[in-house]
Amino acid sequence: MKRIGLTILILMTAIFLFGCNSTEEAKNYTYTQENGVYRVQEEGLVIEMDEQAFADQGERDRATSQLLQALEKAKTFLTGRQAAQTQVQCRLLSGDGVSQVRDGEVDIYYYDTIPQPYVNYMVQALLGTDVPDFLREGVAAYGAQQMGESLADSYAQALQPLWAQQEGEESSGSHVTLTDMAKALAADEKFASGSLAEAKELGDMLAGISEQADGEEAQNYHAAYCIYAGSFIEYWAEQQGIDTILDWYEEGADESAMEESLPLLMASWRQEGLNS
């Protein structure tokens, strides 16, 4: 059964996060309009925007430009790889909802209102989502980081005090690595015990999310899971190279093929990667 990559900005508790509108001048694109939806197709990306949320041409152009840049960065990370999907369809939706990534598809709610990891989304959409949660989320987080996008500026923005700079100055997240964040989580009392500690086990992400007490805890669990998954992939890549991981991903990530080595790798990461 295919797993859905969730953005888990569950419930309205996530609304305290704020996005930043791009000030860069965007190219002018040509859109078709039908049934309340603007549509544009450019360079392997099909974008559909709810008319209610994108009535202004400038807003549409900025969104299109940002998503095209994210797709290009994802493709750069995957250079030399035959991605499972050659085209990505991205829907920018108004109203309440949970952003999702599926094979070749991305649905985004609260676009440019709540920070979201667009390169991360594109990596998942290109590679496919029918793999274990830790692999899908971890490779996407790692790949996005390699392209300059940090979870500290999206999923994990609310957790920034855990890796704040000296003298209490909050970090922008741009230089905070996945493992920096994972170490901060592992050392924090809240995340080192109770239900949030289960995120470090890198099991079934959605099951862990569903066990949280409220929306804020679910959001924190999701952020922690993605950080830990990315840190594990970062550690694994340092040991064996990212190509080894992507080979397994592309082969369908049959866990029986990694039955013995994967638990050892994870144990080594928890012992060495998070405590070094």
Side-chain angles (χ1 to χ4, degrees):
M1 178 178 178
K2 291 190 175 183
R3 303 290 292 168
I4 296 176
L6 290 178
T7 311
I8 206 55
L9 300 166
I10 283 184
L11 303 179
M12 296 306 290
T13 54
I15 297 299
F16 62 84
L17 296 177
F18 298 96
C20 297
N21 291 322
S22 173
T23 58
E24 295 182 6
E25 185 176 349
K27 172 184 173 183
N28 291 323
Y29 298 95
T30 300
Y31 304 83
T32 60
Q33 184 181 11
E34 187 177 358
N35 298 325
V37 174
Y38 287 103
R39 190 176 189 273
V40 62
Q41 182 167 352
E42 292 276 341
E43 302 172 24
L45 182 63
V46 177
I47 305 174
E48 295 182 350
M49 307 177 186
D50 278 2
E51 184 181 47
Q52 293 178 350
F54 291 90
D56 180 77
Q57 171 82 31
E59 292 176 358
R60 293 195 296 275
D61 289 343
R62 283 189 291 274
T64 298
S65 180
Q66 182 177 25
L67 292 169
L68 282 168
Q69 289 177 34
L71 180 60
E72 186 59 34
K73 288 179 180 181
K75 288 180 176 179
T76 298
F77 168 65
L78 297 172
T79 296
R81 291 276 161 183
Q82 183 63 47
Q85 310 297 321
T86 58
Q87 179 173 280
V88 174
Q89 181 168 353
C90 185
R91 287 175 285 268
L92 306 182
L93 305 165
S94 58
D96 298 336
V98 179
S99 298
Q100 299 181 7
V101 183
R102 298 174 293 278
D103 295 356
E105 299 181 19
V106 183
D107 291 349
I108 300 176
Y109 288 85
Y110 308 112
Y111 179 87
D112 216 22
T113 301
I114 294 176
Q116 303 188 53
Y118 301 113
V119 179
N120 183 314
Y121 290 166
M122 295 301 178
V123 171
Q124 292 187 54
L126 288 171
L127 282 178
T129 56
D130 194 15
V131 295
D133 293 337
F134 79 86
L135 183 63
R136 181 190 68 250
E137 295 289 354
V139 166
Y142 174 83
Q145 176 178 271
Q146 295 300 100
M147 295 295 105
E149 179 180 84
S150 172
L151 288 180
D153 294 327
S154 54
Y155 288 161
Q157 191 182 60
L159 306 180
Q160 281 189 9
L162 294 182
W163 46 84
Q165 296 177 359
Q166 293 181 355
E167 300 179 359
E169 180 184 354
E170 287 194 358
S171 166
S172 68
S174 59
H175 67 282
V176 181
T177 70
L178 289 159
T179 296
D180 288 337
M181 290 187 278
K183 287 180 179 179
L185 289 174
D188 184 76
E189 181 178 351
K190 180 178 180 180
F191 288 90
S193 61
S195 60
L196 291 175
E198 291 299 312
K200 190 165 58 175
E201 298 304 309
L202 298 180
D204 187 316
M205 184 180 74
L206 298 185
I209 288 170
S210 68
E211 293 171 0
Q212 303 311 304
D214 54 38
E216 183 177 356
E217 291 292 280
Q219 178 195 349
N220 286 340
Y221 181 96
H222 178 248
Y225 187 102
C226 293
I227 288 169
Y228 282 132
S231 174
F232 172 60
I233 295 300
E234 188 172 50
Y235 176 82
W236 188 359
E238 289 172 354
Q239 303 297 311
Q240 300 182 12
I242 189 60
D243 284 342
T244 298
I245 303 168
L246 290 176
D247 285 344
W248 187 50
Y249 198 125
E250 291 175 352
E251 291 165 4
D254 180 3
E255 292 188 82
S256 64
M258 300 285 290
E259 189 173 5
E260 294 184 6
S261 60
L262 191 58
L264 293 175
L265 272 168
M266 285 192 174
S268 179
W269 160 69
R270 293 188 190 99
Q271 183 63 35
E272 298 177 8
L274 298 182
N275 295 301
S276 60

